[in-house]
Amino acid sequence: MQTNNFKNNYIYDLIIVGAGPIGIACALEAKKKGLTYLVIEKGTLVNSLYHYPSNMRFFSSSEKLEIDGIPFISKNPKPSKEEALEYYRRIATANKLFINLFEKVEKVTKANDIFTVNTSKKQYQAKNIVIATGFYDIPNYLNVKGENLPKVFHYYKNPHYFAGQQVIVVGASNSSVDAALEIYRKGGEVTMVIRGEAIGERVKYWVKPDIENRIAEGSIKAYYRAEITEIRTDEVDICIDKKISKTIANNFVLALTGYRPNFDFLQKLGIELLGTHKIPNYNPKTMETNVKGIYLAGVICGGLETHKWFIENSRVHAQTIISAIGNN
């Protein structure tokens, strides 16, 4: 990524926290409008996407993942993770965007309408802050005994690791279903523990019949209205209908129960969280929060409603925010 040569006391028009697709879109828009900007990312470029499962395919078609009108050419109807990584990397490098990677924002303070951003490496100043950090960093924990055992994973990468193993997959969302099917097809013995009555309604339409048929034929075992109550080295206890207890032999647990934004970080910035879903307080016409000069972009706008915002429907946030900043 490009590195600027601004002095330490330089004041940017905006600092963008997060180098995901929407953070990149904000940088592109700022560059077009002649605003000085810096993107700060605690991990690699499009860090959340990089940590998605190896074989993941998007629900959206490639044109819906495009940013700034730059064509995303895929050889598949639904692009792969690797194609998306290549697309967003090429955009960042070809446009020579100013992005600092592997640098974590640790503290943000404000004085005289100027923000001071302290990171793990340096200190910066800016007139405005854009938070585009997504929600993939903090899992929704089961909060049961044994969840801290090394056999428990909250992220899933590749099915090969679980070949020939007894694996419990917790959840019935896209990530859970994909993991269950892939592990089963690599020779794992898969049991799904599902809190609801059925496979989730938002599971990809071309995958849902597959998992339902595998469960119906007995290739994958599923317990509905069930929850894990304790995890041990070689077995797991579950409760069905809140009254029937069952012990299952087990080697690994994949607790793919979803993720949540870093609410502590938002609150330390002074951003209000509203209602039971902890929706950040922002103006949808400008994306500015209750803290003047701090804007939100992308999926973080949904709070706990992490299914509400995607790349395809939050791309517009970049234009909205930069337009608002430019008019201030």
Side-chain angles (χ1 to χ4, degrees), residues 18 38 76 94 121 156 166 186 190 197 204 219 222 236 238 243 245 259 263 287 297 318:
L38 175 66
N76 303 293
K121 296 182 179 180
Y156 166 71
Q166 295 171 312
K186 295 299 182 183
V190 179
E197 300 278 345
K204 291 170 283 196
S219 298
V236 169
I238 69 170
K243 55 186 178 182
S245 297
Y259 309 93
F263 292 124
M287 307 308 295

Side-chain angles (χ1 to χ4, degrees), residues 14-20 22-24 26 38-42 103-106 108 117 119 128-134 265 269 294-295 297 300:
L14 68 154
I15 283 178
I16 301 161
V17 185
I22 306 306
I24 292 173
C26 290
L38 175 66
V39 183
I40 302 175
E41 166 61 56
K42 72 175 185 179
E103 184 172 355
K104 183 179 180 181
V105 173
E106 297 180 336
V108 178
V117 179
T119 76
N128 302 279
I129 304 291
V130 178
I131 307 298
T133 49
F265 179 63
L269 295 175
I294 298 183
Y295 299 79
I300 198 169

Side-chain angles (χ1 to χ4, degrees), residues 178-189:
D178 286 345
L181 288 169
E182 289 184 2
I183 293 169
Y184 154 67
R185 293 197 165 104
K186 295 299 182 183
E189 182 183 324

Side-chain angles (χ1 to χ4, degrees), residues 32-66:
K32 284 196 300 183
K33 299 299 183 182
L35 300 178
T36 57
Y37 69 91
L38 175 66
V39 183
I40 302 175
E41 166 61 56
K42 72 175 185 179
T44 188
L45 189 70
V46 287
N47 189 61
S48 293
L49 176 55
Y50 174 77
H51 289 288
Y52 283 175
S54 303
N55 301 322
M56 190 210 76
R57 290 196 178 276
F58 284 88
F59 190 96
S60 304
S61 55
S62 58
E63 67 270 13
K64 293 183 178 181
L65 301 176
E66 293 174 353

Side-chain angles (χ1 to χ4, degrees), residues 54-300:
S54 303
N55 301 322
M56 190 210 76
R57 290 196 178 276
F58 284 88
F59 190 96
S60 304
S61 55
S62 58
E63 67 270 13
K64 293 183 178 181
L65 301 176
E66 293 174 353
I67 55 177
D68 201 41
I70 300 170
F72 182 174
I73 307 301
S74 170
K75 61 183 179 181
N76 303 293
K78 306 294 182 181
S80 68
K81 165 186 168 178
E82 291 303 319
E83 288 177 316
L85 288 175
E86 179 70 9
Y87 172 71
Y88 295 118
R89 181 184 63 79
R90 290 292 299 273
I91 287 177
T93 55
N95 287 278
K96 299 181 179 179
L97 298 180
F98 294 117
I99 303 177
N100 287 6
L101 300 175
F102 302 102
E103 184 172 355
K104 183 179 180 181
V105 173
E106 297 180 336
K107 185 178 180 181
V108 178
T109 56
K110 186 179 183 182
N112 301 320
D113 293 329
I114 299 297
F115 293 97
T116 297
V117 179
N118 290 282
T119 76
S120 55
K121 296 182 179 180
K122 204 173 177 181
Q123 184 181 91
Y124 307 90
Q125 291 185 305
K127 300 174 185 175
N128 302 279
I129 304 291
V130 178
I131 307 298
T133 49
F135 66 90
Y136 198 59
D137 291 327
I138 303 175
N140 291 320
Y141 292 104
L142 300 174
N143 295 315
V144 299
K145 186 177 180 180
E147 189 173 9
N148 61 338
L149 290 172
K151 63 182 277 186
V152 181
F153 296 86
H154 293 92
Y155 295 89
Y156 166 71
K157 286 288 188 182
N158 192 290
H160 175 82
Y161 187 85
F162 304 101
Q165 300 296 293
Q166 295 171 312
V167 182
I168 286 178
V169 178
V170 184
S173 62
N174 277 297
S175 57
S176 302
V177 167
D178 286 345
L181 288 169
E182 289 184 2
I183 293 169
Y184 154 67
R185 293 197 165 104
K186 295 299 182 183
E189 182 183 324
V190 179
T191 299
M192 299 186 73
V193 175
I194 299 169
R195 187 167 54 181
E197 300 278 345
I199 295 298
E201 288 301 318
R202 287 193 290 270
V203 169
K204 291 170 283 196
Y205 64 84
W206 64 93
V207 175
K208 196 166 185 284
D210 189 1
I211 188 66
E212 290 174 338
N213 288 334
R214 301 295 73 74
I215 291 171
E217 71 186 15
S219 298
I220 293 175
K221 189 175 292 184
Y223 293 99
Y224 298 103
R225 303 177 304 282
E227 296 180 277
I228 288 179
T229 55
E230 184 174 342
I231 302 168
R232 294 183 292 278
T233 303
D234 297 314
E235 56 190 16
V236 169
D237 292 340
I238 69 170
C239 181
I240 306 167
D241 289 325
K242 298 188 182 299
K243 55 186 178 182
I244 302 173
S245 297
K246 187 176 182 66
T247 298
I248 303 171
N250 171 260
N251 302 118
F252 292 102
V253 175
L254 280 174
L256 305 179
T257 49
Y259 309 93
R260 60 176 60 209
N262 189 337
F263 292 124
D264 287 342
F265 179 63
L266 295 180
Q267 290 178 310
K268 285 177 181 177
L269 295 175
I271 298 173
E272 298 172 349
L273 303 177
L274 307 177
T276 57
H277 293 296
K278 297 186 177 181
I279 308 296
N281 185 358
Y282 69 94
N283 181 349
K285 293 182 179 179
T286 63
M287 307 308 295
E288 188 174 27
T289 68
N290 59 283
V291 180
K292 183 175 174 57
I294 298 183
Y295 299 79
L296 299 183
V299 297
I300 198 169

